[in-house]
Amino acid sequence: VSSMSIIWNLMKSRLYTYRIATLFFAMTLLIAVVSWVANVYELGAVQNLLSAEGIRWGLSHIVEDYVYNPALGVALVLLMGGGLFVYGGAYDAIKRICTKGKWVSRKERRALMVALLVLVVYVMLVLLNVMMPWTILRSITGTFEGSPLFKGWCYVASLGIGLSGAAYGCVSGILRNDADWVMAMSKLIALNADYLVTLFFVTQFFSTLEYTRMGEWMGIDTQSLYILYQAVCYLLLLFVLIVRSKSQNEVK
């Protein structure tokens, strides 16, 4: 494989997200211009984003809207747990066994058994707390709606993945100290930093769409717009992870 091919495969997944970020930035600018034109010609109840009031709104909401993005916290928490699983070595060992038919060393087999045991015990504890009435994972009324499990599902999932990955890393010797743990937890976040940047532009697009009332003007109600907003955020994360994984496999 030529050096140019390797560079292209490594950058291809990032080019997708770079272009998506550029697309949403361009659409946000388009909304700003259209809102100004619609406001000048009094086309519906569209609010002008380029007015003094619109600029004040933007400056006071840009950071807040991004911080409260529905996918931002979920992505960061899942990537931390996933980082322990991937860079602790468990993912590579399982992949070698399942896709390449290669056997692993005795030390790796022992690490996989410990990781599996940790995961099974963790899942059993979660299931016991879910199935038994009036446990800490249920709401104060004993239901799942509004329960800690319902609100913190991403942390529960990330913790299970992270603990099993950390168990493998410790037994195999890949994760030797707390610095290795923190480094592993941060690597997937660093690898997918472009998603976090793209998410910023996605957030600004939907925020301006709501503020200018362009969504209502186009016949999209507020609830449908919010559902679309969440879908785009989560599907974009899934898309980035799949494309990036595929590109890394092509390099290998």
Side-chain angles (χ1 to χ4, degrees), residues 59-101:
L59 292 175
S60 59
H61 284 81
I62 286 177
V63 176
E64 180 182 347
D65 289 345
Y66 181 57
V67 170
Y68 286 101
N69 181 288
L72 179 61
V74 172
L76 291 174
V77 170
L78 289 177
L79 289 174
M80 283 191 284
L84 281 172
F85 189 80
V86 172
Y87 292 98
Y91 174 77
D92 182 64
I94 295 173
K95 184 179 177 181
R96 277 186 282 132
I97 294 173
C98 296
T99 62
K100 298 183 179 180

Side-chain angles (χ1 to χ4, degrees), residues 6-26:
I6 293 175
I7 293 173
W8 168 247
N9 284 327
L10 287 172
M11 292 298 297
K12 184 168 61 174
S13 59
R14 295 192 182 278
L15 288 174
Y16 286 126
T17 47
Y18 294 160
R19 288 167 179 167
I20 293 173
T22 303
L23 174 64
F24 276 96
F25 175 67

